[in-house]
Each structure stands twice: as C-alpha cells, then as structure tokens.
PDB file of all heavy atoms in Angstrom:
ATOM      1  N   ALA A   1      55.155 -52.264  15.155  1.00 97.00           N
ATOM      2  CA  ALA A   1      54.242 -51.762  14.120  1.00 97.00           C
ATOM      3  C   ALA A   1      52.839 -51.561  14.662  1.00 97.00           C
ATOM      4  O   ALA A   1      52.104 -50.660  14.227  1.00 97.00           O
ATOM      5  CB  ALA A   1      54.210 -52.721  12.944  1.00 97.00           C
ATOM      6  N   GLU A   2      52.464 -52.373  15.623  1.00 95.00           N
ATOM      7  CA  GLU A   2      51.141 -52.228  16.244  1.00 95.00           C
ATOM      8  C   GLU A   2      51.086 -50.994  17.131  1.00 95.00           C
ATOM      9  O   GLU A   2      50.104 -50.255  17.124  1.00 95.00           O
ATOM     10  CB  GLU A   2      50.832 -53.475  17.069  1.00 95.00           C
ATOM     11  CG  GLU A   2      49.494 -53.447  17.775  1.00 95.00           C
ATOM     12  CD  GLU A   2      49.276 -54.705  18.594  1.00 95.00           C
ATOM     13  OE1 GLU A   2      49.056 -55.772  17.985  1.00 95.00           O
ATOM     14  OE2 GLU A   2      49.358 -54.634  19.841  1.00 95.00           O
ATOM     15  N   LYS A   3      52.135 -50.752  17.878  1.00 94.00           N
ATOM     16  CA  LYS A   3      52.152 -49.630  18.816  1.00 94.00           C
ATOM     17  C   LYS A   3      52.522 -48.310  18.158  1.00 94.00           C
ATOM     18  O   LYS A   3      52.076 -47.249  18.598  1.00 94.00           O
ATOM     19  CB  LYS A   3      53.136 -49.928  19.951  1.00 94.00           C
ATOM     20  CG  LYS A   3      52.690 -51.074  20.847  1.00 94.00           C
ATOM     21  CD  LYS A   3      53.596 -51.158  22.069  1.00 94.00           C
ATOM     22  CE  LYS A   3      53.060 -52.193  23.043  1.00 94.00           C
ATOM     23  NZ  LYS A   3      53.841 -52.231  24.281  1.00 94.00           N
ATOM     24  N   ASN A   4      53.372 -48.379  17.136  1.00 96.00           N
ATOM     25  CA  ASN A   4      53.837 -47.161  16.482  1.00 96.00           C
ATOM     26  C   ASN A   4      53.995 -47.434  14.986  1.00 96.00           C
ATOM     27  O   ASN A   4      55.104 -47.602  14.492  1.00 96.00           O
ATOM     28  CB  ASN A   4      55.162 -46.707  17.095  1.00 96.00           C
ATOM     29  CG  ASN A   4      55.543 -45.293  16.687  1.00 96.00           C
ATOM     30  OD1 ASN A   4      55.091 -44.808  15.652  1.00 96.00           O
ATOM     31  ND2 ASN A   4      56.376 -44.641  17.480  1.00 96.00           N
ATOM     32  N   PRO A   5      52.874 -47.489  14.264  1.00 97.00           N
ATOM     33  CA  PRO A   5      52.938 -47.843  12.839  1.00 97.00           C
ATOM     34  C   PRO A   5      53.776 -46.880  12.006  1.00 97.00           C
ATOM     35  O   PRO A   5      54.437 -47.297  11.055  1.00 97.00           O
ATOM     36  CB  PRO A   5      51.472 -47.840  12.395  1.00 97.00           C
ATOM     37  CG  PRO A   5      50.735 -47.071  13.455  1.00 97.00           C
ATOM     38  CD  PRO A   5      51.479 -47.300  14.719  1.00 97.00           C
ATOM     39  N   ASP A   6      53.771 -45.607  12.364  1.00 97.00           N
ATOM     40  CA  ASP A   6      54.568 -44.641  11.604  1.00 97.00           C
ATOM     41  C   ASP A   6      56.063 -44.932  11.761  1.00 97.00           C
ATOM     42  O   ASP A   6      56.837 -44.803  10.800  1.00 97.00           O
ATOM     43  CB  ASP A   6      54.266 -43.211  12.059  1.00 97.00           C
ATOM     44  CG  ASP A   6      52.883 -42.748  11.616  1.00 97.00           C
ATOM     45  OD1 ASP A   6      52.329 -43.349  10.680  1.00 97.00           O
ATOM     46  OD2 ASP A   6      52.359 -41.789  12.225  1.00 97.00           O
ATOM     47  N   LEU A   7      56.463 -45.301  12.974  1.00 97.00           N
ATOM     48  CA  LEU A   7      57.866 -45.642  13.206  1.00 97.00           C
ATOM     49  C   LEU A   7      58.262 -46.847  12.361  1.00 97.00           C
ATOM     50  O   LEU A   7      59.331 -46.853  11.738  1.00 97.00           O
ATOM     51  CB  LEU A   7      58.098 -45.941  14.689  1.00 97.00           C
ATOM     52  CG  LEU A   7      59.513 -46.407  15.062  1.00 97.00           C
ATOM     53  CD1 LEU A   7      60.533 -45.321  14.781  1.00 97.00           C
ATOM     54  CD2 LEU A   7      59.572 -46.841  16.525  1.00 97.00           C
ATOM     55  N   ALA A   8      57.408 -47.873  12.329  1.00 98.00           N
ATOM     56  CA  ALA A   8      57.716 -49.072  11.555  1.00 98.00           C
ATOM     57  C   ALA A   8      57.846 -48.747  10.071  1.00 98.00           C
ATOM     58  O   ALA A   8      58.744 -49.246   9.390  1.00 98.00           O
ATOM     59  CB  ALA A   8      56.640 -50.132  11.780  1.00 98.00           C
ATOM     60  N   LYS A   9      56.967 -47.908   9.565  1.00 98.00           N
ATOM     61  CA  LYS A   9      57.050 -47.519   8.149  1.00 98.00           C
ATOM     62  C   LYS A   9      58.364 -46.790   7.861  1.00 98.00           C
ATOM     63  O   LYS A   9      59.009 -47.025   6.832  1.00 98.00           O
ATOM     64  CB  LYS A   9      55.866 -46.633   7.784  1.00 98.00           C
ATOM     65  CG  LYS A   9      54.536 -47.361   7.728  1.00 98.00           C
ATOM     66  CD  LYS A   9      53.396 -46.390   7.413  1.00 98.00           C
ATOM     67  CE  LYS A   9      52.054 -47.107   7.412  1.00 98.00           C
ATOM     68  NZ  LYS A   9      50.923 -46.165   7.167  1.00 98.00           N
ATOM     69  N   THR A  10      58.738 -45.903   8.770  1.00 98.00           N
ATOM     70  CA  THR A  10      59.985 -45.169   8.582  1.00 98.00           C
ATOM     71  C   THR A  10      61.185 -46.107   8.611  1.00 98.00           C
ATOM     72  O   THR A  10      62.094 -46.004   7.769  1.00 98.00           O
ATOM     73  CB  THR A  10      60.138 -44.098   9.675  1.00 98.00           C
ATOM     74  OG1 THR A  10      59.062 -43.162   9.570  1.00 98.00           O
ATOM     75  CG2 THR A  10      61.460 -43.352   9.543  1.00 98.00           C
ATOM     76  N   LEU A  11      61.197 -47.029   9.559  1.00 98.00           N
ATOM     77  CA  LEU A  11      62.311 -47.962   9.661  1.00 98.00           C
ATOM     78  C   LEU A  11      62.389 -48.873   8.440  1.00 98.00           C
ATOM     79  O   LEU A  11      63.485 -49.148   7.931  1.00 98.00           O
ATOM     80  CB  LEU A  11      62.200 -48.787  10.943  1.00 98.00           C
ATOM     81  CG  LEU A  11      62.511 -48.027  12.233  1.00 98.00           C
ATOM     82  CD1 LEU A  11      62.167 -48.868  13.455  1.00 98.00           C
ATOM     83  CD2 LEU A  11      63.973 -47.605  12.275  1.00 98.00           C
ATOM     84  N   ASP A  12      61.247 -49.324   7.960  1.00 98.00           N
ATOM     85  CA  ASP A  12      61.245 -50.137   6.737  1.00 98.00           C
ATOM     86  C   ASP A  12      61.907 -49.375   5.590  1.00 98.00           C
ATOM     87  O   ASP A  12      62.743 -49.916   4.858  1.00 98.00           O
ATOM     88  CB  ASP A  12      59.808 -50.501   6.343  1.00 98.00           C
ATOM     89  CG  ASP A  12      59.194 -51.564   7.240  1.00 98.00           C
ATOM     90  OD1 ASP A  12      59.950 -52.265   7.948  1.00 98.00           O
ATOM     91  OD2 ASP A  12      57.957 -51.688   7.237  1.00 98.00           O
ATOM     92  N   SER A  13      61.530 -48.133   5.457  1.00 98.00           N
ATOM     93  CA  SER A  13      62.052 -47.307   4.366  1.00 98.00           C
ATOM     94  C   SER A  13      63.542 -47.038   4.529  1.00 98.00           C
ATOM     95  O   SER A  13      64.316 -47.139   3.562  1.00 98.00           O
ATOM     96  CB  SER A  13      61.283 -45.985   4.301  1.00 98.00           C
ATOM     97  OG  SER A  13      61.817 -45.127   3.323  1.00 98.00           O
ATOM     98  N   GLU A  14      63.965 -46.701   5.737  1.00 98.00           N
ATOM     99  CA  GLU A  14      65.365 -46.361   5.962  1.00 98.00           C
ATOM    100  C   GLU A  14      66.277 -47.579   5.829  1.00 98.00           C
ATOM    101  O   GLU A  14      67.387 -47.470   5.287  1.00 98.00           O
ATOM    102  CB  GLU A  14      65.536 -45.711   7.330  1.00 98.00           C
ATOM    103  CG  GLU A  14      64.843 -44.359   7.479  1.00 98.00           C
ATOM    104  CD  GLU A  14      65.398 -43.295   6.544  1.00 98.00           C
ATOM    105  OE1 GLU A  14      66.526 -43.486   6.020  1.00 98.00           O
ATOM    106  OE2 GLU A  14      64.712 -42.294   6.325  1.00 98.00           O
ATOM    107  N   PHE A  15      65.824 -48.728   6.302  1.00 98.00           N
ATOM    108  CA  PHE A  15      66.634 -49.936   6.122  1.00 98.00           C
ATOM    109  C   PHE A  15      66.769 -50.265   4.634  1.00 98.00           C
ATOM    110  O   PHE A  15      67.853 -50.641   4.166  1.00 98.00           O
ATOM    111  CB  PHE A  15      66.023 -51.124   6.865  1.00 98.00           C
ATOM    112  CG  PHE A  15      66.520 -51.279   8.276  1.00 98.00           C
ATOM    113  CD1 PHE A  15      65.651 -51.162   9.352  1.00 98.00           C
ATOM    114  CD2 PHE A  15      67.863 -51.560   8.535  1.00 98.00           C
ATOM    115  CE1 PHE A  15      66.110 -51.312  10.660  1.00 98.00           C
ATOM    116  CE2 PHE A  15      68.323 -51.706   9.841  1.00 98.00           C
ATOM    117  CZ  PHE A  15      67.440 -51.581  10.902  1.00 98.00           C
ATOM    118  N   ALA A  16      65.678 -50.128   3.888  1.00 98.00           N
ATOM    119  CA  ALA A  16      65.736 -50.391   2.451  1.00 98.00           C
ATOM    120  C   ALA A  16      66.713 -49.440   1.763  1.00 98.00           C
ATOM    121  O   ALA A  16      67.482 -49.848   0.877  1.00 98.00           O
ATOM    122  CB  ALA A  16      64.341 -50.263   1.835  1.00 98.00           C
ATOM    123  N   SER A  17      66.719 -48.182   2.179  1.00 97.00           N
ATOM    124  CA  SER A  17      67.600 -47.185   1.566  1.00 97.00           C
ATOM    125  C   SER A  17      69.064 -47.495   1.821  1.00 97.00           C
ATOM    126  O   SER A  17      69.908 -47.417   0.918  1.00 97.00           O
ATOM    127  CB  SER A  17      67.259 -45.790   2.093  1.00 97.00           C
ATOM    128  OG  SER A  17      65.966 -45.396   1.674  1.00 97.00           O
ATOM    129  N   ILE A  18      69.394 -47.843   3.062  1.00 97.00           N
ATOM    130  CA  ILE A  18      70.803 -48.083   3.382  1.00 97.00           C
ATOM    131  C   ILE A  18      71.292 -49.388   2.755  1.00 97.00           C
ATOM    132  O   ILE A  18      72.445 -49.495   2.319  1.00 97.00           O
ATOM    133  CB  ILE A  18      71.026 -48.047   4.916  1.00 97.00           C
ATOM    134  CG1 ILE A  18      72.499 -47.717   5.219  1.00 97.00           C
ATOM    135  CG2 ILE A  18      70.622 -49.351   5.580  1.00 97.00           C
ATOM    136  CD1 ILE A  18      72.733 -47.331   6.671  1.00 97.00           C
ATOM    137  N   GLN A  19      70.403 -50.371   2.646  1.00 97.00           N
ATOM    138  CA  GLN A  19      70.785 -51.607   1.971  1.00 97.00           C
ATOM    139  C   GLN A  19      71.021 -51.365   0.486  1.00 97.00           C
ATOM    140  O   GLN A  19      71.959 -51.926  -0.112  1.00 97.00           O
ATOM    141  CB  GLN A  19      69.697 -52.680   2.176  1.00 97.00           C
ATOM    142  CG  GLN A  19      69.578 -53.209   3.592  1.00 97.00           C
ATOM    143  CD  GLN A  19      70.699 -54.167   3.970  1.00 97.00           C
ATOM    144  OE1 GLN A  19      71.757 -54.206   3.343  1.00 97.00           O
ATOM    145  NE2 GLN A  19      70.476 -54.947   5.023  1.00 97.00           N
ATOM    146  N   ALA A  20      70.185 -50.515  -0.112  1.00 97.00           N
ATOM    147  CA  ALA A  20      70.368 -50.188  -1.528  1.00 97.00           C
ATOM    148  C   ALA A  20      71.689 -49.453  -1.751  1.00 97.00           C
ATOM    149  O   ALA A  20      72.385 -49.674  -2.756  1.00 97.00           O
ATOM    150  CB  ALA A  20      69.202 -49.344  -2.025  1.00 97.00           C
ATOM    151  N   LEU A  21      72.055 -48.583  -0.817  1.00 97.00           N
ATOM    152  CA  LEU A  21      73.317 -47.859  -0.918  1.00 97.00           C
ATOM    153  C   LEU A  21      74.495 -48.820  -0.831  1.00 97.00           C
ATOM    154  O   LEU A  21      75.443 -48.746  -1.622  1.00 97.00           O
ATOM    155  CB  LEU A  21      73.392 -46.812   0.191  1.00 97.00           C
ATOM    156  CG  LEU A  21      74.667 -45.966   0.256  1.00 97.00           C
ATOM    157  CD1 LEU A  21      74.882 -45.191  -1.039  1.00 97.00           C
ATOM    158  CD2 LEU A  21      74.592 -44.999   1.448  1.00 97.00           C
ATOM    159  N   LEU A  22      74.451 -49.751   0.116  1.00 97.00           N
ATOM    160  CA  LEU A  22      75.532 -50.720   0.256  1.00 97.00           C
ATOM    161  C   LEU A  22      75.644 -51.611  -0.973  1.00 97.00           C
ATOM    162  O   LEU A  22      76.756 -51.980  -1.385  1.00 97.00           O
ATOM    163  CB  LEU A  22      75.293 -51.584   1.504  1.00 97.00           C
ATOM    164  CG  LEU A  22      75.671 -50.945   2.840  1.00 97.00           C
ATOM    165  CD1 LEU A  22      75.019 -51.695   3.994  1.00 97.00           C
ATOM    166  CD2 LEU A  22      77.187 -50.930   3.007  1.00 97.00           C
ATOM    167  N   ALA A  23      74.503 -51.938  -1.564  1.00 97.00           N
ATOM    168  CA  ALA A  23      74.510 -52.826  -2.733  1.00 97.00           C
ATOM    169  C   ALA A  23      75.310 -52.238  -3.890  1.00 97.00           C
ATOM    170  O   ALA A  23      75.885 -52.980  -4.705  1.00 97.00           O
ATOM    171  CB  ALA A  23      73.073 -53.114  -3.177  1.00 97.00           C
ATOM    172  N   LYS A  24      75.386 -50.920  -3.966  1.00 97.00           N
ATOM    173  CA  LYS A  24      76.134 -50.262  -5.048  1.00 97.00           C
ATOM    174  C   LYS A  24      77.638 -50.540  -4.949  1.00 97.00           C
ATOM    175  O   LYS A  24      78.362 -50.396  -5.945  1.00 97.00           O
ATOM    176  CB  LYS A  24      75.897 -48.757  -5.005  1.00 97.00           C
ATOM    177  CG  LYS A  24      74.458 -48.344  -5.300  1.00 97.00           C
ATOM    178  CD  LYS A  24      74.304 -46.828  -5.190  1.00 97.00           C
ATOM    179  CE  LYS A  24      72.873 -46.400  -5.462  1.00 97.00           C
ATOM    180  NZ  LYS A  24      72.703 -44.921  -5.339  1.00 97.00           N
ATOM    181  N   TYR A  25      78.083 -50.917  -3.766  1.00 97.00           N
ATOM    182  CA  TYR A  25      79.513 -51.127  -3.548  1.00 97.00           C
ATOM    183  C   TYR A  25      79.873 -52.608  -3.435  1.00 97.00           C
ATOM    184  O   TYR A  25      81.016 -52.940  -3.149  1.00 97.00           O
ATOM    185  CB  TYR A  25      79.958 -50.388  -2.289  1.00 97.00           C
ATOM    186  CG  TYR A  25      79.856 -48.888  -2.440  1.00 97.00           C
ATOM    187  CD1 TYR A  25      78.651 -48.224  -2.238  1.00 97.00           C
ATOM    188  CD2 TYR A  25      80.963 -48.137  -2.820  1.00 97.00           C
ATOM    189  CE1 TYR A  25      78.535 -46.847  -2.399  1.00 97.00           C
ATOM    190  CE2 TYR A  25      80.867 -46.757  -2.983  1.00 97.00           C
ATOM    191  CZ  TYR A  25      79.646 -46.131  -2.769  1.00 97.00           C
ATOM    192  OH  TYR A  25      79.548 -44.763  -2.941  1.00 97.00           O
ATOM    193  N   LYS A  26      78.892 -53.466  -3.674  1.00 96.00           N
ATOM    194  CA  LYS A  26      79.143 -54.901  -3.581  1.00 96.00           C
ATOM    195  C   LYS A  26      79.564 -55.438  -4.942  1.00 96.00           C
ATOM    196  O   LYS A  26      78.933 -55.168  -5.953  1.00 96.00           O
ATOM    197  CB  LYS A  26      77.907 -55.638  -3.079  1.00 96.00           C
ATOM    198  CG  LYS A  26      78.200 -57.048  -2.587  1.00 96.00           C
ATOM    199  CD  LYS A  26      77.056 -57.592  -1.753  1.00 96.00           C
ATOM    200  CE  LYS A  26      77.436 -58.904  -1.087  1.00 96.00           C
ATOM    201  NZ  LYS A  26      76.351 -59.437  -0.238  1.00 96.00           N
ATOM    202  N   GLN A  27      80.652 -56.198  -4.944  1.00 94.00           N
ATOM    203  CA  GLN A  27      81.207 -56.728  -6.178  1.00 94.00           C
ATOM    204  C   GLN A  27      80.562 -58.063  -6.537  1.00 94.00           C
ATOM    205  O   GLN A  27      79.870 -58.682  -5.729  1.00 94.00           O
ATOM    206  CB  GLN A  27      82.721 -56.915  -6.024  1.00 94.00           C
ATOM    207  CG  GLN A  27      83.448 -55.708  -5.460  1.00 94.00           C
ATOM    208  CD  GLN A  27      83.262 -54.463  -6.303  1.00 94.00           C
ATOM    209  OE1 GLN A  27      83.491 -54.477  -7.508  1.00 94.00           O
ATOM    210  NE2 GLN A  27      82.852 -53.373  -5.666  1.00 94.00           N
ATOM    211  N   ALA A  28      80.815 -58.513  -7.761  1.00 94.00           N
ATOM    212  CA  ALA A  28      80.219 -59.763  -8.246  1.00 94.00           C
ATOM    213  C   ALA A  28      80.632 -60.963  -7.395  1.00 94.00           C
ATOM    214  O   ALA A  28      79.874 -61.924  -7.260  1.00 94.00           O
ATOM    215  CB  ALA A  28      80.622 -59.988  -9.702  1.00 94.00           C
ATOM    216  N   ASP A  29      81.833 -60.903  -6.806  1.00 93.00           N
ATOM    217  CA  ASP A  29      82.300 -62.031  -5.995  1.00 93.00           C
ATOM    218  C   ASP A  29      81.833 -61.960  -4.547  1.00 93.00           C
ATOM    219  O   ASP A  29      82.236 -62.779  -3.710  1.00 93.00           O
ATOM    220  CB  ASP A  29      83.824 -62.116  -6.040  1.00 93.00           C
ATOM    221  CG  ASP A  29      84.511 -60.882  -5.453  1.00 93.00           C
ATOM    222  OD1 ASP A  29      83.804 -59.942  -5.039  1.00 93.00           O
ATOM    223  OD2 ASP A  29      85.764 -60.862  -5.401  1.00 93.00           O
ATOM    224  N   GLY A  30      80.985 -60.980  -4.236  1.00 93.00           N
ATOM    225  CA  GLY A  30      80.444 -60.853  -2.888  1.00 93.00           C
ATOM    226  C   GLY A  30      81.238 -59.947  -1.975  1.00 93.00           C
ATOM    227  O   GLY A  30      80.781 -59.630  -0.869  1.00 93.00           O
ATOM    228  N   THR A  31      82.421 -59.536  -2.390  1.00 96.00           N
ATOM    229  CA  THR A  31      83.216 -58.609  -1.586  1.00 96.00           C
ATOM    230  C   THR A  31      82.744 -57.171  -1.829  1.00 96.00           C
ATOM    231  O   THR A  31      81.982 -56.905  -2.762  1.00 96.00           O
ATOM    232  CB  THR A  31      84.708 -58.720  -1.924  1.00 96.00           C
ATOM    233  OG1 THR A  31      84.902 -58.353  -3.297  1.00 96.00           O
ATOM    234  CG2 THR A  31      85.204 -60.143  -1.701  1.00 96.00           C
ATOM    235  N   PHE A  32      83.224 -56.268  -0.995  1.00 97.00           N
ATOM    236  CA  PHE A  32      82.869 -54.865  -1.129  1.00 97.00           C
ATOM    237  C   PHE A  32      84.059 -54.052  -1.623  1.00 97.00           C
ATOM    238  O   PHE A  32      85.220 -54.448  -1.453  1.00 97.00           O
ATOM    239  CB  PHE A  32      82.397 -54.297   0.214  1.00 97.00           C
ATOM    240  CG  PHE A  32      80.998 -54.707   0.589  1.00 97.00           C
ATOM    241  CD1 PHE A  32      80.763 -55.875   1.288  1.00 97.00           C
ATOM    242  CD2 PHE A  32      79.908 -53.921   0.222  1.00 97.00           C
ATOM    243  CE1 PHE A  32      79.480 -56.264   1.630  1.00 97.00           C
ATOM    244  CE2 PHE A  32      78.616 -54.292   0.556  1.00 97.00           C
ATOM    245  CZ  PHE A  32      78.403 -55.466   1.260  1.00 97.00           C
ATOM    246  N   THR A  33      83.750 -52.908  -2.208  1.00 97.00           N
ATOM    247  CA  THR A  33      84.779 -51.965  -2.634  1.00 97.00           C
ATOM    248  C   THR A  33      85.697 -51.633  -1.460  1.00 97.00           C
ATOM    249  O   THR A  33      85.238 -51.418  -0.339  1.00 97.00           O
ATOM    250  CB  THR A  33      84.137 -50.669  -3.153  1.00 97.00           C
ATOM    251  OG1 THR A  33      83.303 -50.980  -4.258  1.00 97.00           O
ATOM    252  CG2 THR A  33      85.189 -49.657  -3.579  1.00 97.00           C
ATOM    253  N   SER A  34      86.998 -51.616  -1.713  1.00 97.00           N
ATOM    254  CA  SER A  34      87.948 -51.241  -0.672  1.00 97.00           C
ATOM    255  C   SER A  34      87.622 -49.822  -0.209  1.00 97.00           C
ATOM    256  O   SER A  34      87.436 -48.914  -1.018  1.00 97.00           O
ATOM    257  CB  SER A  34      89.372 -51.306  -1.216  1.00 97.00           C
ATOM    258  OG  SER A  34      90.306 -50.983  -0.225  1.00 97.00           O
ATOM    259  N   TYR A  35      87.575 -49.626   1.097  1.00 97.00           N
ATOM    260  CA  TYR A  35      87.081 -48.353   1.622  1.00 97.00           C
ATOM    261  C   TYR A  35      88.010 -47.191   1.311  1.00 97.00           C
ATOM    262  O   TYR A  35      87.572 -46.029   1.275  1.00 97.00           O
ATOM    263  CB  TYR A  35      86.848 -48.460   3.127  1.00 97.00           C
ATOM    264  CG  TYR A  35      85.920 -47.397   3.663  1.00 97.00           C
ATOM    265  CD1 TYR A  35      84.636 -47.236   3.147  1.00 97.00           C
ATOM    266  CD2 TYR A  35      86.324 -46.552   4.687  1.00 97.00           C
ATOM    267  CE1 TYR A  35      83.779 -46.260   3.635  1.00 97.00           C
ATOM    268  CE2 TYR A  35      85.470 -45.578   5.187  1.00 97.00           C
ATOM    269  CZ  TYR A  35      84.205 -45.439   4.658  1.00 97.00           C
ATOM    270  OH  TYR A  35      83.360 -44.464   5.142  1.00 97.00           O
TER     271      TYR A  35
END
C-alpha cells in the first residue's frame, strides 16, 4: 500500500467482491451449494 496505493485499493475492492459472491452460495450450516 505504501509503494502502490492504487494497487492496494483495487485488491481490497476485488477481494471484497469475490468474498461477497461466495457468501451467496454459503448455507446456514457452513457448507456451500453443490457445484
């Protein structure tokens, strides 16, 4: 983040997005939707 703040901002955003996408497929018991 010190050397490339724009990269860090992008990575923060992209990790948040992919985690949010995965969360949609997570069941109440902690398992995921069968692929």
Side-chain angles (χ1 to χ4, degrees):
E2 179 181 288
K3 293 189 173 185
N4 193 336
D6 289 340
L7 176 64
K9 289 178 182 177
T10 298
L11 287 171
D12 286 342
S13 176
E14 295 297 342
F15 269 117
S17 294
I18 203 166
Q19 291 285 19
L21 179 59
L22 281 163
K24 295 178 181 179
Y25 294 83
K26 196 164 189 178
Q27 311 301 308
D29 62 358
T31 62
F32 284 88
T33 300
S34 181
Y35 200 56

